[in-house]
């Protein structure tokens, strides 16, 4: 089978394509013929050794995929060859065939195609965990989202709207904000053109109930200054490149919380609540309430181009690789 490999840590241009033996599922496992492997911002860091998870070399990037069950291992009764399936791997999905534990896979709703389904786990899983378990977002609350048109942010826009929040999308262009509005945002702020703090104060004079930050960098402090009393500032990622230094006196003055959102560890530590989140998500997807916007699909040979778009924050929604 064909596989995209990181054989030495470094830029995406160093990734190579190799022919590897076809894997066989062991007991309790299934093999998936991959039709789409989703990329996330952290893939740009993993291949450089700059992420908290460091897979042993060589490895394939991409943490999630969708395709067809191609083989089942001993003891697997819940899957049949030919069924449509999506799975979370952590890394290793950018190849033609993967093997995963049977309980790490979910059936794909008919309303989603393979490209959409490949990106369900990380961005939507993070949004579900971030907004429900960590953010405790309730109907009628005001939720602002930084980086609202990227894969992580757009998922949070959709989930926040489905939870009944008043969603304020914050992004860097009118085109990105238009996309966020299409996915459920009621308000929009172009932080490349307007002052983020002033606009948040205008839209939420009493302060924000929750903020979902996928960007960090220079946007973090004005966003934190916009929190309301008892608000929850959710730290999701640092697509802006810089990890901000937060003045802790702001937490005291605002009476607000700063909460980390680490979905990967949540899955490991609390699998029951993770499965409940995914079941709720799939119900929304089956009802057509999740749109899972895909920016583009690229062959494995164009992985460097796809990763450069993500690193440059030029992506709206998700990017997938097609083996």
């Amino acid at each position: 089978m064909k596989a995209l490999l990181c054989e030495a840590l470094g830029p995406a241009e160093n990734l190579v394509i190799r022919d590897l033996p076809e894997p066989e599922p062991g007991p309790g496992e299934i093999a998936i013929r991959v039709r789409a492997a989703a990329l996330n911002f952290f893939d740009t860091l993993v291949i450089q050794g700059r992420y908290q998870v460091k897979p042993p070399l060589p490895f394939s990037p991409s943490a999630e995929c969708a395709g067809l069950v191609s083989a089942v291992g001993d003891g697997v009764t819940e899957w049949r060859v030919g069924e449509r399936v999506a799975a979370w791997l952590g890394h290793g999905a950018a190849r033609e065939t993967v093997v995963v534990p049977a309980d790490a896979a979910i059936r794909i709703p008919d309303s989603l195609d393979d490209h959409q389904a490949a990106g369900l786990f990380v961005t939507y899983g993070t949004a579900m965990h971030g907004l429900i378990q960590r953010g405790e977002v309730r109907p009628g609350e005001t939720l602002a989202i930084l980086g609202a048109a990227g894969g992580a942010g757009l998922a949070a826009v959709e989930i926040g709207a489905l939870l009944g929040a008043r969603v304020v999308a914050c992004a860097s262009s009118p085109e990105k904000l238009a996309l966020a509005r299409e996915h459920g945002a009621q308000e929009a702020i172009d932080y490349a053109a307007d002052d983020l703090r002033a606009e948040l104060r205008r839209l939420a004079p009493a302060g924000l109930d929750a903020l979902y930050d996928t960007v960090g960098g220079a946007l973090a402090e004005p966003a934190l200054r916009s929190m309301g009393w008892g608000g929850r500032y959710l730290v999701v990622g640092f697509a802006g490149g810089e990890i901000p230094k937060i003045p802790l006196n702001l937490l005291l003055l605002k009476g607000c919380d700063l909460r980390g959102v680490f979905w990967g560890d949540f899955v490991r530590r609390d699998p029951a609540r993770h499965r409940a989140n995914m079941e709720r998500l799939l119900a929304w997807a089956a009802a057509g309430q999740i749109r899972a916007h895909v920016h583009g699909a690229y062959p494995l040979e164009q992985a460097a181009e796809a990763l450069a778009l993500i690193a440059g924050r030029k992506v709206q929604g998700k990017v997938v690789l097609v083996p």
Side-chain angles (χ1 to χ4, degrees):
M1 67 165 182
K2 184 168 63 174
L4 179 71
L5 292 181
C6 176
E7 296 182 334
L9 299 177
E13 290 76 16
N14 291 355
L15 297 173
V16 297
I17 294 176
R18 304 292 190 203
D19 285 322
L20 300 179
E22 194 81 16
E24 296 290 336
E29 295 178 331
I30 61 172
I32 300 171
R33 192 67 174 176
V34 176
R35 287 182 165 180
L39 294 176
N40 294 279
F41 179 75
F42 64 74
D43 285 301
T44 69
L45 304 177
V46 171
I47 62 174
Q48 300 177 67
R50 296 172 51 208
Y51 193 61
Q52 54 259 39
V53 177
K54 295 177 171 57
L57 296 168
F59 66 89
S60 293
S62 177
E64 51 189 341
C65 67
L68 297 176
V69 177
S70 58
V72 298
D74 291 342
V76 175
T77 59
E78 65 270 34
W79 291 101
R80 298 287 182 271
V81 171
E83 287 188 293
R84 295 181 69 218
V85 61
W88 154 256
L89 290 75
H91 67 274
R95 51 182 62 195
E96 290 182 322
T97 303
V98 298
V99 169
V100 302
D103 60 6
I106 58 172
R107 284 177 175 81
I108 299 174
D110 291 339
S111 59
L112 293 180
D113 64 31
D114 292 320
H115 291 182
Q116 293 173 308
L120 280 182
F121 281 87
V122 175
T123 53
Y124 285 94
T126 300
M128 295 285 283
H129 171 52
L131 297 180
I132 296 173
Q133 280 83 37
R134 302 297 290 149
E136 302 174 280
V137 171
R138 294 176 286 273
E141 290 192 320
T142 298
L143 163 69
I145 298 167
L146 302 186
L154 202 58
V157 168
E158 288 191 300
I159 299 300
L162 287 168
L163 292 174
R166 174 187 177 229
V167 176
V168 180
C170 308
S172 59
S173 74
E175 294 77 18
K176 290 180 178 180
L177 292 173
L179 179 66
R181 284 189 180 275
E182 291 173 11
H183 286 253
Q186 292 102 319
E187 308 286 353
I189 297 173
D190 182 348
Y191 48 62
D194 300 313
D195 181 84
L196 177 65
R197 175 74 178 96
E199 288 300 296
L200 287 173
R201 185 188 297 114
R202 178 180 65 83
L203 292 173
L208 299 169
D209 297 299
L211 183 130
Y212 192 88
D213 184 4
T214 72
V215 180
L219 298 179
E221 186 170 329
L224 182 57
R225 291 181 182 275
S226 304
M227 300 304 296
W229 185 262
R232 290 85 66 198
Y233 189 116
L234 306 171
V235 181
V236 183
F238 311 104
E242 180 185 347
I243 298 176
K245 307 295 188 294
I246 297 296
L248 290 180
N249 66 306
L250 293 177
L251 302 182
L252 183 153
L253 295 172
K254 294 287 182 179
C256 66
D257 295 345
L258 194 63
R259 303 183 183 182
V261 180
F262 188 3
W263 176 75
D265 224 33
F266 164 71
V267 172
R268 181 180 65 83
R269 292 173 180 269
D270 199 343
R273 283 206 290 179
H274 161 62
R275 180 159 291 279
N277 282 353
M278 295 307 294
E279 289 172 353
R280 189 175 183 184
L281 174 65
L282 288 173
W284 279 333
Q289 294 173 287
I290 295 294
R291 297 178 60 187
H293 181 78
V294 176
H295 179 93
Y298 298 82
L300 293 184
E301 291 80 3
Q302 294 180 21
E305 177 184 342
L307 288 163
L309 288 173
I310 296 172
R313 296 168 63 189
K314 297 177 181 178
V315 168
Q316 298 180 23
K318 294 285 289 197
V319 168
V320 300
L321 297 177
V322 181

